[in-house]
Amino acid sequence: MNNPRNDKLFTALGILLTVAATWMQQAAMAQPAWFNPVAIQPEVQQSPLNCIYQDRSGFIWIGTGSAVFKYDGNSYHKLEVPSNFNTSGVTALYEDADERFWIGYENGAVLHHDGFGNFDSITLDMEKVQSRITTFVEDQQGVLWIGTYGNGVFAMTDNGIVKWNTGNGLTDDYVYDMTTDPEGRIWLGTDNGINILDPSKEPLQITSLTIDDGLPDFIVQSLHADGEGNIWIGMYDKGICKYDMTENVFVVPAGLEDWQYGAVKDMIIMNDRVWMSTSRRGILEYLTHNRELNFFEHCGNISLNRVKSMLFDREGNAWLLTSSEICLSFGNRIASLGRIGGV
């Protein structure tokens, strides 16, 4: 009998080797450059790409305006969701510690899939109009948190689904992103600053960080913990900053004080590199060890100003998602995986 752990390892290695081989073949034919296109023809419906995620087995998942697709390094496979579920465009993907796969939708629907073809839906009590699901995160107690754009956050506790919004402590109901810190707290990026939820406190404790506390901007669209006691923050108008949890202070990185590159739509951290998806200058790379700045504005004929979601995978590569393309970075080179469904 095969060992499932070995099967997962071989799957992850297979995806990496397949993509790497395609990229190297194309790179050998191209002139030396940072960007090398790798064209593929995935069979995916003609629908905008919305989000990207890597599961524990190494598969890359893409959420589109109509479906979810799993990329195995060669082709895309559609996840067949039963037609009786009232779903819409896919806006968030997540795998929890029990390997259940969660799917969030534009219309506020939430499904989870057990990997064996079984689906179940979760009903969220939304007081206002149905809000899209923006993000998932799991805390240290195994509680799944669900962020929405307009109805705050929901926690899947042992006692049922608990809702947190402006009616019981949040500064805003529009949640863009969430992350966890080493202390087990949940950080929310909203249209009115940052909310920090501490599930270890009874009752749950909520702390807010706004412009009154030194946050440079009202709107926080991206949050990432770097493993060194900092939370990196991507903002709509003021670029990026980090919150030093040791000193409890906001710090704007040297060289980025006079931000002129538009909204930061997403952000990933790769060791000493911080990559930001910006609306005016494509991908901005900030090297934390020497404060160097690099800009990547095109991947072949793809404008990187259009990148709206990014993923740093377990093999050390960065995946960049626009509404119709995927770009892949190996080290300091970026390769295009082509247009999805001709959009």
Side-chain angles (χ1 to χ4, degrees):
M1 183 174 180
N2 292 333
N3 186 325
R5 293 182 180 274
N6 289 338
D7 290 343
K8 290 183 178 182
L9 175 61
F10 293 144
T11 297
L13 290 174
I15 293 173
L16 175 61
L17 292 174
T18 299
V19 176
T22 306
W23 175 83
M24 291 173 66
Q25 181 182 21
Q26 182 67 35
M29 296 184 292
Q31 60 182 343
W34 286 85
F35 311 106
N36 295 277
V38 179
I40 63 171
Q41 298 296 325
E43 296 181 1
V44 180
Q45 294 181 0
Q46 296 185 9
S47 187
L49 308 183
N50 292 330
C51 51
I52 185 168
Y53 186 81
Q54 184 181 35
D55 67 19
R56 287 174 171 78
S57 298
F59 291 111
I60 301 296
W61 294 81
I62 307 295
T64 79
S66 60
V68 179
F69 294 89
K70 179 173 69 174
Y71 179 54
D72 63 8
N74 289 303
S75 58
Y76 289 80
H77 306 274
K78 183 179 177 181
L79 183 65
E80 298 294 342
V81 176
S83 59
N84 60 304
F85 290 112
N86 180 26
T87 60
S88 57
V90 178
T91 52
L93 300 168
Y94 189 78
E95 184 184 32
D96 66 22
D98 294 325
E99 300 188 4
R100 290 175 298 183
F101 196 73
W102 295 81
I103 308 169
Y105 292 89
E106 182 74 34
N107 65 355
V110 177
L111 299 183
H112 66 81
H113 176 241
D114 65 2
F116 298 99
N118 301 311
F119 290 85
D120 197 7
S121 63
I122 302 299
T123 301
L124 302 179
D125 178 20
M126 295 192 179
E127 297 176 355
K128 305 175 184 178
V129 296
Q130 295 300 103
S131 303
R132 77 172 182 264
I133 306 302
T134 54
T135 180
F136 297 98
V137 75
E138 190 172 9
D139 67 23
Q140 292 179 351
Q141 288 73 43
V143 173
L144 184 74
W145 294 77
I146 304 171
T148 75
Y149 192 70
N151 275 277
V153 295
F154 296 81
M156 306 283 295
T157 72
D158 292 337
N159 298 319
I161 301 175
V162 180
K163 176 171 54 182
W164 298 92
N165 56 23
T166 50
N168 56 356
L170 298 188
T171 60
D172 194 74
D173 290 333
Y174 294 83
V175 178
Y176 291 96
D177 200 9
M178 295 190 293
T179 192
T180 58
D181 66 23
E183 298 178 15
R185 299 176 299 180
I186 314 298
W187 290 60
L188 315 179
T190 78
D191 272 339
N192 188 19
I194 294 170
N195 290 265
I196 306 170
L197 283 60
D198 191 346
S200 69
K201 305 296 184 182
E202 183 62 43
L204 180 139
Q205 178 178 307
I206 300 177
T207 304
S208 63
L209 295 173
T210 68
I211 59 172
D212 293 334
D213 303 294
L215 180 65
D217 197 348
F218 283 100
I219 302 176
V220 173
Q221 299 191 130
S222 184
L223 293 167
H224 285 273
D226 65 5
E228 298 181 0
N230 302 303
I231 302 293
W232 289 79
I233 301 161
M235 297 167 286
Y236 185 76
D237 282 323
K238 301 296 184 179
I240 69 165
C241 68
K242 64 180 180 180
Y243 188 78
D244 185 329
M245 290 188 292
T246 302
E247 301 295 332
N248 294 319
V249 64
F250 290 100
V251 179
V252 177
L256 298 178
E257 298 91 348
D258 184 21
W259 185 265
Q260 302 176 12
Y261 313 121
V264 175
K265 294 172 286 184
D266 200 6
M267 181 169 47
I268 53 177
I269 298 175
M270 303 178 291
N271 301 318
D272 64 340
R273 300 169 183 262
V274 180
W275 278 24
M276 295 148 271
S277 168
T278 73
S279 59
R280 295 180 186 171
R281 291 295 305 272
I283 303 302
L284 187 155
E285 176 188 60
Y286 181 76
L287 306 184
T288 58
H289 68 282
N290 64 3
R291 303 175 181 176
E292 178 182 336
L293 289 177
N294 296 303
F295 295 92
F296 308 128
E297 299 189 83
H298 294 89
C299 173
N301 62 355
I302 300 171
S303 170
L304 296 183
N305 288 349
R306 303 203 306 268
V307 172
K308 58 183 181 180
S309 182
M310 300 192 292
L311 166 70
F312 181 41
D313 70 22
R314 295 181 182 85
E315 290 75 38
N317 311 308
W319 300 68
L320 316 179
L321 198 76
T322 76
S323 292
S324 55
E325 303 104 354
I326 302 172
C327 292
L328 179 61
S329 162
F330 286 86
N332 58 8
R333 293 183 180 272
I334 296 179
S336 166
L337 293 187
R339 301 181 71 82
I340 301 296
V343 177

